[in-house]
Amino acid sequence: MKQLIFLFATAIFFLACNGDKPDATNTTAPAPPPPPSGTYQTIQDFKAKAEKPDITIQIDGLNQQGFVFLVGSFLDQNYKADSAKIEAGGKMRFKRDEPYFPGLMYLMLPDGNNFQVLVDLDQTFSMKTKADNLIGAMEVQGSLDNELLYQTFRFEDSQRQAFAQNAARMKANPVGTPGHLEAKAEQDKLLDERIAYLNKIFQEHPNSLFTKFKKAGQNPDVRDAFRADGTMDTLRYGYLYRTRFWNDVDFNDERLLYTPVINNKLKRYINELTPQNPDSIVQASIYLVDQTIGKPEFFKYFANWIVLNYDPKTSTLMDPQAVFVNMIERYFTYERAFWSDSVEVFGLQQRAYEMSASLVGKKGPDVQAPDPSGKIRSIYEMKAPYIIVFMWNPDCEHCAEQTPKLVQNYTNWKNQGIDVFGIAVNTEDAKWKSTIQKYGMPWVNVFDPTNKAIYAKYYVDNTPEIYVLNPDRKIIAKNLQADQIMTVIDRDRNKR
């Protein structure tokens, strides 16, 4: 799967999305690949148009020696873009012939402190500040993006105390009381002021990197999910938050891929805002990825990230195969997966096909294979309402842990209408039969050394693999431990 790399929220005051914050890890990762070639907004002819960097930074009162680093962002990695020596008086200069990639960078000081620097076509500018007030004292010359960035930092800081005070008042007064409603009205007023401040910048500088970056990092305004008495319509809040989450992200602007905002939003959207069940993840993924069709770099990153995040070999989701299959079938086609060759696409499609018949919610396929006496046995000939399909290997350590538990519970399960159909995989006939005797496995056991009996029926990448079929012979659970089986069956019984 390494080839793929080529490739409900509680913030009700919407101060800012955490998508613009750095990830302190991976700062030694290699620089990103060169931007693709065409118009600048897609970073195609960026290097031909960008200025040669000459960035001067002055930090008054900086009593540190050594080197400072410019650390850039690309997708889910940080990389060291450049370094400069701290000169006398706290001066440092970054100058070279090769332009920096666009996006958000961090100037990392020797003591671990840092501040942000936006880099775009204009790469000749100066920044001056004080060591004891890096953000508040910042003065910028020659860079509109950084002027706007630090003006906005100061405006947001001027509101921060009032936001905190109103939040405390709202928490101290029960919802619906005059005190709560008054504090909420003040909070809404502050938020409206903030929105108006930003909208003015966005309208005056619609194509600036600051505007695209700042808009993308905002949390959605979902105040219309609150009732007149101040109570929240929780379902409406969650729905509006998720569906508006990407509204202000310009998927045509690839500069955003060189900031933390896209990766952080993607992780939050999929891992936190989306319920962690296959149906919800598939629905959310399609909603997002479909918006990026025709925006190749975003499309490639989102599709690959989601597939890797739910790779069945590493995911803890009960049925990650459902996410994997849907993503591969929909997006990793010969027409759409432009970053992969035909061999890679064929391999992924083949793997998805092998998983597709055994997804939770589908009717469990029948398996017909010989038992130790040579008699052909079938899942569908079994009469018990619930069938545990147990796929195992004699040499598997985890199988050695789980098999005795199944044997111990089998008699009790049998009396409750539960039976087991054991399928041995990747072994030899003699070893299979001797292991059955070793553990006293009392259920139906089958083994097909050719694997034809199970190919593309019940997918197994790690043994043991446990599937549970209900009376309709639908798969109601998979990837279970022995002690989880009764919970799943009891839940299904209670629904009937």
Side-chain angles (χ1 to χ4, degrees), residues 10 169 256:
T10 58
R169 288 173 60 198
L256 294 175

Side-chain angles (χ1 to χ4, degrees), residues 85-260:
K85 187 176 182 180
I86 301 174
E87 300 175 7
K91 184 179 180 179
M92 55 214 76
R93 186 179 186 183
F94 297 90
K95 184 177 181 179
R96 68 180 195 180
D97 292 333
E98 186 77 7
Y100 299 122
F101 291 100
L104 183 71
M105 292 188 176
Y106 304 91
L107 185 91
M108 309 296 294
L109 298 172
D111 63 359
N113 285 323
N114 70 86
F115 58 84
Q116 299 178 8
V117 181
L118 285 172
V119 175
D120 201 24
L121 287 173
D122 50 343
Q123 298 193 14
T124 301
F125 56 89
S126 64
M127 304 176 73
K128 182 178 180 181
T129 188
K130 297 179 180 179
D132 58 356
N133 189 14
L134 291 173
I135 308 303
M138 183 66 71
E139 299 175 11
V140 179
Q141 290 186 345
S143 171
L144 175 64
D145 286 314
N146 286 295
E147 288 180 23
L148 297 174
L149 177 67
Y150 282 91
Q151 287 173 13
T152 301
F153 280 156
R154 287 189 285 270
F155 173 80
E156 291 173 345
D157 189 60
S158 72
Q159 286 193 319
R160 189 165 286 111
Q161 184 176 359
F163 267 112
Q165 289 173 346
N166 280 305
R169 288 173 60 198
M170 290 172 65
K171 185 177 180 180
N173 290 275
V175 175
T177 63
H180 182 92
L181 292 175
E182 180 182 338
K184 186 178 185 303
E186 288 295 321
Q187 202 80 318
D188 286 344
K189 181 181 177 181
L190 287 168
L191 181 57
D192 288 336
E193 290 174 358
R194 183 179 187 277
I195 292 173
Y197 175 89
L198 289 175
N199 282 342
K200 184 175 185 296
I201 294 176
F202 298 161
Q203 291 166 8
E204 293 175 350
H205 309 283
N207 296 314
S208 69
L209 175 58
F210 171 81
T211 290
K212 297 301 182 72
F213 168 66
K214 194 65 177 179
K215 288 181 72 172
Q218 300 308 293
N219 285 322
D221 185 346
V222 291
R223 286 177 287 173
D224 47 338
F226 288 83
R227 304 180 182 94
D229 62 359
T231 60
M232 179 196 295
D233 183 336
T234 305
L235 291 177
R236 178 171 170 77
Y237 180 93
Y239 171 78
L240 293 177
Y241 201 97
R242 288 192 298 272
T243 55
R244 295 175 182 175
F245 192 67
W246 294 96
N247 283 3
D248 288 324
V249 178
D250 185 353
F251 293 124
N252 288 306
D253 196 331
E254 293 175 13
R255 292 177 296 182
L256 294 175
L257 297 172
Y258 293 78
T259 75

